[in-house]
Amino acid sequence: MSLPKRGNPVAMARTDDDSWGITDGVGQTALGVAMARADEATSECPLFTDPYARLFVDAATEGGSRRPPKSMLDRVHAIGDYMASRTKWYDEFFIAAGASGIEQAVILAAGLDARAWRLPWVDGSVVYEIDQPKVLEFKTRTLAEHDLRPAASRYVAVPADLRHDWPKALRDAGFDASEPTAWAAEGLLPYLPADAQDLLFDRIHQHSARDSRIAVESFGADFFDPDYQAGRREQMRRLREQAGEDVNAPDVADLWYIEDRTDVVQWLTEHCWNVTSIESIELMTRYGRWTPDQPDAVAPRTLFVEAVLT
């Protein structure tokens, strides 16, 4: 599959060494996810409970950051069922990993994920979170200000860039590669160049003992289809227009690396991982969050991949 390169001026703002907090660049997406998780609490039948998400959103606003544009809020609401289903799937992944005896977890590009605080971790569990220093500092500071402690036996923030030598930082923080690990990559892959994605999986594999598990939000077959992406951008343009905003404002897709990529399912299978996968619409249907009359844009064309190293 040949994919178009990123060609607009905003897209080129990404560089090999760019960094961010939670109100700029890639970090804004973490805040958007927190908004979606906070909104889920007001749904008729929430798929999960995340009381920490609202704390992050409020802290970001109180810290002097601009309130998110209405179009962003509308977009978050539009894909709320998808975000809720994705969150529920990863929650179940970690709970199942703990039930199988895995006591070590690594959350890649953790953002404002609060699973180390809100999930029922088994005794002795340690959760490592890897992300940009400013993102982790904001999260841990916000939770500490509310005197909130992790539910995991041990929580370790690992400030590191996933495009650089994050395994060394992880090992230096106490990670034990001889023990099975539950790895999670949620909302991550589009923000990595194709070669960085390959290196990421190489490093995960090298640091995974037998029986380790991994959960990945990957690309569906038509994720990069030009017509699909154009339709998605048009939806955002209409939302901005309705909100009275600049219709040419940057889009989250401007932060993506649209390049030829290795197929995640194929890569894991070839490296002795036992793989299962489910498409986004099927996952949303499982959780009662999809009906055939919903527009295509409500369910991004993604694939949820889970694997166990045999």
Side-chain angles (χ1 to χ4, degrees):
M1 175 175 61
S2 178
L3 303 175
K5 296 292 184 179
R6 308 164 70 245
N8 62 68
V10 176
M12 297 309 293
R14 292 299 311 279
T15 64
D16 291 342
D17 294 306
D18 58 344
S19 62
W20 50 85
I22 53 91
T23 58
D24 59 287
V26 177
Q28 296 176 77
T29 66
L31 192 56
V33 173
M35 292 174 184
R37 290 177 177 169
D39 286 348
E40 179 64 12
T42 66
S43 69
E44 184 176 341
C45 186
L47 291 179
F48 59 89
T49 301
D50 187 351
Y52 309 100
R54 178 57 59 188
L55 297 179
F56 296 138
V57 174
D58 291 345
T61 302
E62 293 168 1
S65 66
R66 293 179 299 173
R67 295 191 67 84
K70 184 178 183 301
S71 60
M72 177 181 176
L73 297 177
D74 291 341
R75 173 62 179 166
V76 167
H77 179 72
I79 63 171
D81 286 332
Y82 172 82
M83 300 297 286
S85 299
R86 185 178 82 172
T87 299
K88 178 67 171 178
W89 185 78
Y90 277 94
D91 285 358
E92 291 181 340
F93 165 77
F94 281 116
I95 292 171
S100 71
I102 296 178
E103 298 179 353
Q104 183 171 246
V106 177
I107 302 177
L108 304 160
L112 299 180
D113 187 320
R115 290 187 175 94
W117 282 261
R118 66 181 180 82
L119 292 187
W121 300 93
V122 298
D123 289 343
S125 292
V126 55
V127 178
Y128 298 93
E129 289 193 338
I130 304 177
D131 211 322
Q132 294 282 332
K134 292 179 182 179
V135 174
L136 293 178
E137 192 277 330
F138 170 83
K139 175 160 64 175
T140 54
R141 183 183 71 247
T142 299
L143 294 173
E145 287 174 350
H146 290 83
D147 198 28
L148 297 168
R149 301 182 183 280
S153 297
R154 190 159 68 96
Y155 165 77
V156 184
V158 183
D161 192 311
L162 289 171
R163 296 164 297 183
H164 301 155
D165 191 8
W166 59 267
K168 182 181 185 302
L170 185 61
R171 294 191 303 269
D172 289 348
F175 175 80
D176 185 354
S178 68
E179 292 293 326
T181 303
W183 303 88
E186 178 183 11
L188 166 61
L189 298 190
Y191 303 97
L192 291 177
D195 56 352
Q197 174 183 309
D198 291 342
L199 182 58
L200 178 79
F201 284 105
D202 280 336
R203 287 169 164 172
I204 290 173
H205 185 68
Q206 292 168 9
H207 289 77
S208 293
R210 184 175 180 179
D211 295 327
S212 289
R213 300 186 176 202
I214 187 170
V216 183
E217 179 189 18
S218 186
F219 310 105
D222 300 319
F223 185 87
F224 290 115
D225 177 74
D227 291 338
Y228 169 69
Q229 289 297 328
R232 185 193 167 285
R233 286 182 178 276
E234 174 59 20
Q235 182 198 42
M236 280 304 303
R237 190 198 68 77
R238 290 196 302 269
L239 289 175
R240 293 192 187 100
E241 186 175 51
Q242 293 166 7
E245 300 167 3
D246 179 5
V247 296
N248 296 311
D251 186 273
V252 66
D254 295 324
L255 299 170
W256 295 347
Y257 288 90
I258 302 178
E259 303 171 339
D260 289 313
R261 290 177 182 267
T262 301
D263 181 86
V264 172
V265 170
Q266 180 180 343
W267 191 97
L268 289 169
T269 300
E270 291 176 350
H271 288 76
C272 300
W273 293 75
N274 185 12
V275 182
T276 59
S277 63
I278 184 172
E279 294 184 351
S280 60
I281 289 179
E282 186 178 352
L283 181 70
M284 292 171 66
T285 301
R286 173 195 293 177
Y287 294 131
R289 294 303 182 91
W290 173 263
T291 56
D293 60 335
Q294 290 177 288
D296 185 51
V298 170
R301 296 178 180 179
T302 52
L303 187 70
F304 291 87
V305 180
E306 185 174 357
V308 179
L309 183 59
T310 58

